[in-house]
């Protein structure tokens, strides 16, 4: 009886193991202006996870938007079409979020006609942890699509 109890106590953490991970893309190198992806996976053996995105431009705004379920290991790419908008692409699913007021959030059926903008990087699982991996420097504008002042 003692053996069974000890075995159950040992296995219990494996049965209730919930993974709640977060990673941020700092816009213009500032933690005050960022997109933070939240990934929640209830059990390690599940092939999907629940995702949310937090758009923040402090102190003006911060808002959490539910993205729904997606593949547990499918990267979420971030594109910058400009004007404070950000396109998130996970597999075939695309969403747009903005950081001017942090209110705008919508699902896209197809890529915008004017294009998705330059790839900024992607949120990826690396060695069991969620992290943001920036795109190659030549692909990333310094001001994320803002007009160039001359």
């Amino acid at each position: 009886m003692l053996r069974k109890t000890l075995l159950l106590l040992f296995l219990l953490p494996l049965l209730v193991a919930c993974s709640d991970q977060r990673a941020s893309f700092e816009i213009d190198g500032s933690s005050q202006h960022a997109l933070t992806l939240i990934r929640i996976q209830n059990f390690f053996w599940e092939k999907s996870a629940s995702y949310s995105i937090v758009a923040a431009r402090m102190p003006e705004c911060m808002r959490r938007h539910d993205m729904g379920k997606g593949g547990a290991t499918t990267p979420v790419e971030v594109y910058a079409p400009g004007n404070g908008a950000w396109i998130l692409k996970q597999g075939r699913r695309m969403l747009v979020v903005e950081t001017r007021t942090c209110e705008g959030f919508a699902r896209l059926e197809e890529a915008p006609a004017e294009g998705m903008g330059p790839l900024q990087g992607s949120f990826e699982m690396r060695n069991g942890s969620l992290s943001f991996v920036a795109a190659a420097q030549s692909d990333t504008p310094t001001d994320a699509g803002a007009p160039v002042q001359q």
Side-chain angles (χ1 to χ4, degrees):
M1 182 70 168
L2 181 60
R3 282 183 150 175
K4 286 183 180 180
T5 304
L6 288 175
L7 181 61
L8 284 175
L9 287 175
F10 178 73
L11 293 176
L12 188 61
L14 295 175
L15 297 175
V16 295
C18 177
S19 171
D20 180 344
Q21 298 186 17
R22 298 146 197 263
S24 291
F25 161 50
E26 294 182 351
I27 301 165
D28 297 330
S30 169
S31 63
Q32 300 295 308
H33 190 193
L35 296 176
T36 301
L37 185 73
I38 301 170
R39 177 189 172 278
I40 298 174
Q41 188 176 14
N42 291 325
F43 301 101
F44 68 88
W45 60 81
E46 288 184 326
K47 296 189 184 312
S48 65
S50 297
Y51 291 89
S52 297
I53 191 77
V54 176
R57 190 174 54 79
M58 301 301 286
E60 287 80 12
C61 66
M62 179 169 36
R63 177 108 186 216
R64 181 175 175 160
H65 304 281
D66 181 31
M67 295 173 56
K69 286 208 174 255
T73 58
T74 307
V76 177
E77 298 172 334
V78 179
Y79 294 87
N83 212 18
W86 306 92
I87 295 175
L88 308 172
K89 184 175 184 283
Q90 184 181 33
R92 287 181 268 165
R93 173 170 72 158
M94 289 186 290
L95 307 119
V96 65
V97 64
E98 57 84 22
T99 56
R100 284 176 288 146
T101 66
C102 303
E103 294 291 324
F105 179 76
R107 300 188 190 289
L108 301 174
E109 296 299 319
E110 57 187 48
E114 57 275 358
M116 294 178 51
L119 176 66
Q120 301 300 298
S122 61
F123 293 99
E124 302 175 7
M125 290 301 292
R126 293 214 165 166
N127 298 321
S129 295
L130 182 65
S131 59
F132 182 78
V133 179
Q137 204 61 359
S138 63
D139 297 338
T140 307
T142 56
D143 56 2
V148 176
Q149 295 181 354
Q150 298 184 14

